Structures are given as structure tokens and as C-alpha cells.
Amino acid sequence: MAGVSRKPDRDRSMEFKGFLNDLKDWDDLLKDKDEKLKGHARRNKKPNPGIIDGYKEPPRKIYSSNLNDEALPDAASEKELGNEYFKQKRFLEAIECYSRSIALSPTSVAFANRAMAYLKLRRFEEAENDCTEALNLDDRYVKAYSRRATARKELGKLKASLEDADFAVRLDPNTQELRKQYSEIKALYEKEVANRKSGALKEASKESQRADGLQVESKIIQDDYLISNRVHNAAASSHKSSVVKNERVQHKHELKASLHDVASRAASRAVASAAKNITSPKSAYEFEVSWRALSDDSAQAQLLKMIPPYTLPQIFKNALSAPILVDIIKCIGTFFKEDTELAISLLDNMVKVPRFDMIIMCLSAKDHSEVQQVWEEIFSTRYIPVAHTEALARLRPKYCYREQQEKN
């Protein structure tokens, strides 16, 4: 029995050795084929693709994954390096770093930081331009408004400087430094305006004298002649001095009235000229500056009419204020009857401005009363097409929020 059991084991052992020999032969065959393939590839090697018609391309720079961040600068690291140079008062080096940061990835902060370095070097025009670029990227960036106000003040652009300082204060009313800046620029601007008015009155006086000089002079000579005759004829009268005095006082009043008339005509021409120079605003800041510069209702209406209604949400973004909203509603009322379709389109798109609902909810009682009064007296007229009536009925709850709350 023992001999019978060992025979199969011996057979299996022989079979296993044969299997190992077959595997070894197969491995040797594969190695041989691999060597043959490599030799064939070397014989048929293609020309270097970097050499074309005898011209060798410059080697391409390949960055290793082992390089650290300093070897591969980015916008953020360049800006931070610029900040370090600025702290050390190395403003030129800081400007170079900020410039590289802007080239890699322009941001409002990098532009505003470079503007601050320019201010330190008294390069005010470049500082103003950089602040403008910063505000093009972020029109609510307070530091950019403040720094541009400083640059414009130094450039003598006091009105524009005051507008920037005012907008900065309204965006961040709790910062004392901004309030101080606004007060200083306001004082300078008011002084300039006072000097300008004084000069304007003098110029108006000169213009009046040039325009009416001969006529006035002739009238004075004629009046003096008549007065002299009257004095001569009334030489015996005890009222001689009184007559002369009254005649001269009356003449001075007439001349003063003439000067006021010339000044009034000059002011009217200035208002008309300002209306012609109105341009369509691209931001809330530009709109408010233009709006406040136009004290005439018709000029403000012209400004609103030139703005495509669908652009209002993009213009105001998150910078719409309650006083401006109330002013816009009242202004739309002035041309509602003559251009109803445009007026409704403006009202409809104002609703789409971010934070509109919040602004309406937070209106003071006085402002809400004015809005509702405009709606009752102008926007609720009976003589408008049905389509417009439906649109106004849809918009009324959005503008007359408190009225809606009372109904509910």
C-alpha cells in the first residue's frame, strides 16, 4: 500500500518541475523579443523635433515640483513683499512689487497700495490713476476713494476731491480719520468757491461795463447835465442838496440792478452748459456726483433719460442710498406723463437693484409719505393705457411698502 501511495506523489513532483522549466523558457523568449524590439527602435529613431530646417528651438524652462514658493512668485506674494518694502519706506521697491502683482493678477488692493506708494513719492497724478483703476474693480473700496481724494487735493481738483472724501465717509461713517479728511478738504473747497465768486462778480462787473460802458457813461453825463440844470434853476431853493443826493442814489440803484441782471444771465448760461455736458454714469459714485451737480429738475430728468433702464442694477449694485432713491422716484414723476413707457421701465428696473426692498422698508415716515404722494398724484392717473396700469399696480406694493403692510 505504501508503494502505491508514493507513485502519484512522484509523478506530481515531475509535472511541477516540468511546469517550472516551461515558465523559464517563456521568460527567456520574452526577453529575447524585447531586445530585438529595442534594436529595431534604435535603427528607426526619428530626428529631433526641436530641430527644424537647421534651426534649433530654444530650450523650454521646466519647473521642478521641488521648487519652493519663492522660486515661483504669484500676485499675492508680490503684494506682500511690496507691503514689507512700504513699511521700510522703500517706496520704489514697493511700487515694483505691486506692479508685478498687478501684472500677474490685477486687484483693487494692489492698485490702491501702489497709489499709496505714489502718494509718498508725491507722484499725485499716478496715484489718482491707480485709485481710479482700483475703483473700476471695486466701486465700494473706501481706501481707494480716500487716497484719490488726497491725490486730487494735491492736484488742485478740490471739487472732485471733496466728492471722493464725501463718498468715503458715507461708505464708512464711523472712521474718524475719514471725517477729518472730509472736513479739511471741505474747508479748502469753500475757500476756493468764495474766491471764485468774488472774482466772478468782478468779472461780471467788468463785462457789464464793457457791454454797456458807452451807454452808461453817456447816461451819466446826460443825467449830470440835467441835474446841474435843475440845481442851477433851483439855486434859491433850500432843497438843492437833497435833490442832487436823491438823483445820484436813484442812478446807483439802476446801475446795480443792471449788474445783477448780467450776473443772472451768466448763471443761466452756466446751468445750460452743465446740462449739455451730462454723460451717462457707469457707477453709483458717478451717478451721485452728476446728480448733485444738477440742481435743475429738467437736467436731472435728462440724466435719467440717457441711462438704459436695464443697466440700473449694474450701476448701483449695493451702493443705492435712500435719499437718492426718493429723488429718483420724484424725478421720474416729472416726465411720467410725457414718456410713460420709459418711466415705468425705470421704476421696474429700480426694483431689481440689490437691497431695494431693504431700503424701502427702512425709509423714514417722511420719505415714505413723499413716495406715496407721488404714486397717488402721478402714477395713479386714470388716463393711461391698461398695460401700463397693470404694470403700475404690480409695482405699487414694492414702492408703497407701509401701505401694503397696513392692508395686511
Side-chain angles (χ1 to χ4, degrees), residues 132-144:
T132 301
E133 291 295 335
L135 292 170
N136 287 337
L137 295 171
D138 181 2
D139 64 357
R140 293 179 63 81
Y141 191 24
V142 177
K143 289 183 179 179

Side-chain angles (χ1 to χ4, degrees), residues 138-168:
D138 181 2
D139 64 357
R140 293 179 63 81
Y141 191 24
V142 177
K143 289 183 179 179
Y145 283 113
S146 176
R147 291 170 188 175
R148 191 169 69 172
T150 300
R152 286 178 166 177
K153 180 189 73 172
E154 297 296 336
L155 291 169
K157 302 176 181 180
L158 291 180
K159 183 180 180 182
S161 175
L162 182 62
E163 290 166 354
D164 281 340
D166 177 50
F167 208 72

Side-chain angles (χ1 to χ4, degrees), residues 273-280 290 294 298-300 302-303 306:
S273 176
K276 290 180 181 178
N277 294 328
I278 297 174
T279 58
S280 182
S290 300
L294 301 170
S298 61
Q300 290 180 337
Q302 183 181 345
L303 175 63
M306 70 167 40

Side-chain angles (χ1 to χ4, degrees), residues 17-295:
K17 288 181 179 179
F19 177 72
L20 289 177
N21 290 333
D22 290 341
L23 283 177
K24 186 176 184 304
D25 293 339
W26 186 33
D27 183 63
D28 293 337
L29 179 63
L30 288 175
K31 288 181 178 179
D32 184 59
K33 285 185 177 181
D34 186 59
E35 288 295 326
K36 289 180 179 179
L37 287 173
K38 287 181 179 179
H40 180 72
R42 282 193 294 268
R43 287 193 300 270
N44 295 285
K45 187 177 180 181
K46 294 182 179 180
N48 188 347
I51 302 176
I52 302 175
D53 295 334
Y55 171 73
K56 186 176 182 180
E57 292 182 347
R60 296 179 182 178
K61 188 173 182 181
I62 301 176
Y63 291 102
S64 169
S65 60
N66 295 326
L67 293 177
N68 56 26
D69 292 340
E70 293 180 357
L72 292 174
D74 56 15
S77 63
E78 287 293 339
K79 179 174 70 67
E80 292 303 320
L81 183 59
N83 291 345
E84 291 300 321
Y85 280 130
F86 187 90
K87 291 176 184 176
Q88 300 171 20
K89 298 184 179 182
R90 297 167 63 179
F91 303 122
L92 288 175
E93 289 90 338
I95 288 171
E96 291 176 0
C97 291
Y98 294 138
S99 298
R100 285 195 293 270
S101 176
I102 291 167
L104 289 166
S105 178
T107 63
S108 57
V109 175
F111 274 114
N113 285 3
R114 191 171 71 173
M116 191 63 188
Y118 280 135
L119 286 176
K120 293 294 184 181
L121 295 174
R122 302 189 64 79
R123 292 163 63 174
F124 301 118
E125 188 171 350
E126 287 139 306
E128 179 189 20
N129 293 337
D130 268 4
C131 289
T132 301
E133 291 295 335
L135 292 170
N136 287 337
L137 295 171
D138 181 2
D139 64 357
R140 293 179 63 81
Y141 191 24
V142 177
K143 289 183 179 179
Y145 283 113
S146 176
R147 291 170 188 175
R148 191 169 69 172
T150 300
R152 286 178 166 177
K153 180 189 73 172
E154 297 296 336
L155 291 169
K157 302 176 181 180
L158 291 180
K159 183 180 180 182
S161 175
L162 182 62
E163 290 166 354
D164 281 340
D166 177 50
F167 208 72
V169 169
R170 285 190 286 117
L171 288 173
D172 187 5
N174 298 322
T175 301
Q176 189 63 31
E177 185 178 350
L178 294 177
R179 290 182 171 276
K180 181 181 178 183
Q181 181 188 42
Y182 173 76
S183 299
E184 290 174 353
I185 296 174
K186 183 180 180 182
L188 291 173
Y189 179 66
E190 288 176 347
K191 183 178 179 181
E192 182 188 61
V193 169
N195 293 336
R196 194 183 304 163
K197 283 182 178 179
S198 176
L201 286 175
K202 291 178 181 178
E203 186 62 29
S205 176
K206 291 178 181 179
E207 181 181 345
S208 175
Q209 289 176 7
R210 283 194 298 268
D212 304 321
L214 293 176
Q215 182 178 357
V216 172
E217 184 178 355
S218 176
K219 190 173 186 304
I220 291 173
I221 293 173
Q222 185 178 6
D223 288 348
D224 285 344
Y225 177 74
L226 292 174
I227 292 169
S228 298
N229 281 341
R230 289 174 189 172
V231 171
H232 179 72
N233 293 333
S237 173
S238 61
H239 300 289
K240 179 177 72 172
S241 60
S242 177
V243 171
V244 173
K245 183 177 180 180
N246 288 338
E247 290 285 351
R248 291 193 178 278
V249 168
Q250 182 181 356
H251 177 68
K252 286 181 180 179
H253 282 306
E254 291 175 356
L255 183 59
K256 187 175 181 180
S258 176
L259 289 175
H260 279 296
D261 184 53
V262 171
S264 177
R265 289 199 301 270
S268 299
R269 286 196 298 270
V271 171
S273 176
K276 290 180 181 178
N277 294 328
I278 297 174
T279 58
S280 182
K282 297 180 181 178
S283 67
Y285 169 76
E286 291 182 5
F287 180 89
E288 289 201 29
V289 169
S290 300
W291 187 265
R292 291 157 73 187
L294 301 170
S295 57

Side-chain angles (χ1 to χ4, degrees), residues 323-340:
I324 289 294
L325 175 59
V326 174
D327 283 351
I328 289 174
I329 295 170
K330 288 195 268 187
C331 184
I332 291 174
T334 62
F335 59 85
F336 176 77
K337 292 181 180 178
E338 66 184 59
D339 202 342
T340 305

